[in-house]
Amino acid sequence: KNNDQSQETSHAVLKIGRPGILDSLEWSGIDPRDYNAEVKASGLNFRDVMRAMGQLKEADCRLGLEFSGVDLLTKERIFGIGAQTIATHTNAYYSFPTPEHLSDEEAATIPVVYLTVYYALLHKANVKEGHSILIHAGSGGVGMAAIAVAQSRGLKIFTTCSSKKREFLKKRFGLEDFQIGDSRSDDFVNTVLKGTRHRGVDVVLNQLAGELQVASLRCLAPGGHFCEIGKYDVMENTSISLGLMANNISFHVIDLLPMSADPACKPMFDGFLRDGFQRGEIVPLPICEFHAKDAVEAFRFMSQGKHLGKIIINGYESYTFLVEQRNI
């Protein structure tokens, strides 16, 4: 882009140029007066990558769901959920005060994963001490948060991951081999049935699609809860064999975004986080940092599925963005 078409600014948001082409991601200038929060760090979610790649049938394809930063009205440190949070500024749908002991980067790893876990496990599945759970993709963000909460609440845990990440889960959470199945095949069904003496688990926290989703339903005990946090099958309107739910199975689709924008949900979310911090079970995820100037690389890295924990984009305040000059 030659200079007469571009200008420099300190305030910008990342947008999709052409869906399906990561190199088309571009910064667009914004007016900070239009927003209620300054962003210090943004959490990247797989949903963002799928949006950038044009893989989701969504009307809303803005990038960034979570952030940490500063409330521009009260000047207090906050973390939370918003729209277009891969930016210098955002409008927070939901926010919570950042505890003093957490850095901005650590705080940005928390909102989506822990609120998803609390809403699914406590509100929908109503888990109790002694219940059993299958947590798919245990080395991912939601997976790690779910294992931390499940251990704190006294649940019997089974999880899945790729073979390369098995040692990481054993080391971080003290899990044993019989608790860990393969996330790339349906072998995990045998892991769960063997570990529960063929009863199955009380809860499945699922993000696997297609045949592996069906296999996950086969892991449930009578009266069990299936909590679907994946987006692909929902967006594709995939059908499910209802016979798999004959044993009083409950199927819950979990999507925080519309709820985070609903003020009626704020007291519940606040309660989840307050209680979680008091219990000491909200632990920041391992962080892989990318500076704002390398945002495209962050998306590319996430699309490879090699990372552990959370990819964080930061450094907004120290960067000057080159944006397209808009002729108005």
Side-chain angles (χ1 to χ4, degrees):
K1 296 167 186 172
N2 53 42
N3 291 333
D4 63 356
Q5 291 178 306
S6 303
Q7 64 181 18
E8 292 183 343
T9 180
S10 300
H11 313 300
V13 59
L14 192 67
K15 292 187 174 180
I16 300 168
R18 291 174 60 193
I21 303 173
L22 290 180
D23 281 329
S24 77
L25 293 176
E26 58 187 9
W27 294 101
S28 180
I30 58 174
D31 185 342
R33 292 172 295 187
D34 295 335
Y35 300 89
N36 63 22
E38 179 186 356
V39 178
K40 297 292 186 182
S42 314
L44 192 60
N45 287 279
F46 198 62
R47 188 169 182 165
D48 297 315
V49 175
M50 293 180 79
R51 281 180 172 180
M53 295 303 293
Q55 293 172 338
L56 290 182
K57 294 176 178 176
E58 288 183 302
D60 182 358
C61 277
R62 292 175 292 181
L63 299 174
L65 309 171
E66 61 188 332
F67 76 100
S68 65
V70 178
D71 183 314
L72 291 174
L73 190 65
T74 66
K75 306 302 179 191
E76 74 171 342
R77 293 176 68 219
I78 56 171
F79 67 88
I81 297 171
Q84 284 188 304
T85 62
I86 303 175
T88 58
H89 298 76
T90 190
N91 281 315
Y93 291 154
Y94 170 79
S95 65
F96 190 85
T98 301
E100 286 182 15
H101 69 279
L102 294 181
S103 70
D104 289 320
E105 286 73 21
E106 288 173 328
T109 71
I110 290 170
V112 166
V113 296
Y114 279 96
L115 286 173
T116 296
V117 167
Y118 285 133
Y119 181 69
L121 271 54
L122 304 186
H123 188 74
K124 288 297 188 185
N126 195 28
V127 295
K128 297 284 187 284
E129 184 177 354
H131 280 180
S132 54
I133 185 169
L134 168 60
I135 298 164
H136 278 308
S139 62
V142 174
M144 272 191 254
I147 294 173
V149 170
Q151 286 185 326
S152 169
R153 308 271 172 156
L155 305 188
K156 184 177 181 181
I157 297 166
F158 297 91
T159 188
T160 62
C161 65
S162 62
S163 56
K164 291 178 182 175
K165 295 173 180 176
R166 177 179 284 260
E167 288 306 313
F168 168 79
L169 285 180
K170 289 165 68 175
K171 187 175 178 182
R172 182 175 175 93
F173 295 108
L175 299 180
E176 297 184 40
D177 278 317
F178 79 88
Q179 295 174 278
I180 307 173
D182 179 17
S183 63
R184 305 285 168 92
S185 74
D186 63 4
D187 284 351
F188 63 78
V189 178
N190 295 326
T191 303
V192 169
L193 294 180
K194 188 176 177 184
T196 59
R197 296 180 181 176
H198 290 271
R199 174 181 175 270
V201 290
D202 298 296
V203 184
V204 173
L205 189 61
N206 183 65
Q207 47 190 301
L208 302 185
E211 291 178 8
L212 296 184
Q213 182 199 56
V214 175
S216 301
L217 276 160
R218 296 191 348 243
C219 294
L220 278 170
H225 292 267
F226 193 89
C227 297
E228 177 60 64
I229 62 169
K231 294 289 165 280
Y232 187 77
D233 279 328
V234 176
M235 298 288 178
E236 291 293 317
N237 198 23
T238 307
S239 60
I240 298 167
S241 300
L242 282 177
L244 289 166
M245 297 185 212
N247 239 336
N248 295 300
I249 300 301
S250 300
F251 192 103
H252 311 282
V253 175
I254 313 291
D255 188 355
L256 277 194
L257 264 190
M259 296 175 60
S260 63
D262 181 358
C265 292
K266 182 172 171 55
M268 177 175 64
F269 285 178
D270 285 351
F272 288 154
L273 293 175
R274 223 176 8 249
D275 186 39
F277 280 121
Q278 284 173 356
R279 287 170 173 264
E281 67 191 12
I282 297 181
V283 180
L285 303 180
I287 294 168
C288 184
E289 291 183 41
F290 284 83
H291 191 279
K293 65 178 168 47
D294 300 317
V296 174
E297 291 309 310
F299 275 74
R300 189 166 282 121
F301 184 61
M302 186 170 216
S303 71
Q304 296 167 359
K306 294 177 182 175
H307 70 289
L308 293 164
K310 202 75 168 175
I311 293 173
I312 295 294
I313 299 174
N314 59 9
Y316 297 108
E317 66 274 13
S318 64
Y319 188 52
T320 302
F321 302 88
L322 199 62
V323 301
E324 287 289 299
Q325 176 74 58
R326 306 288 184 212
N327 295 320
I328 300 170

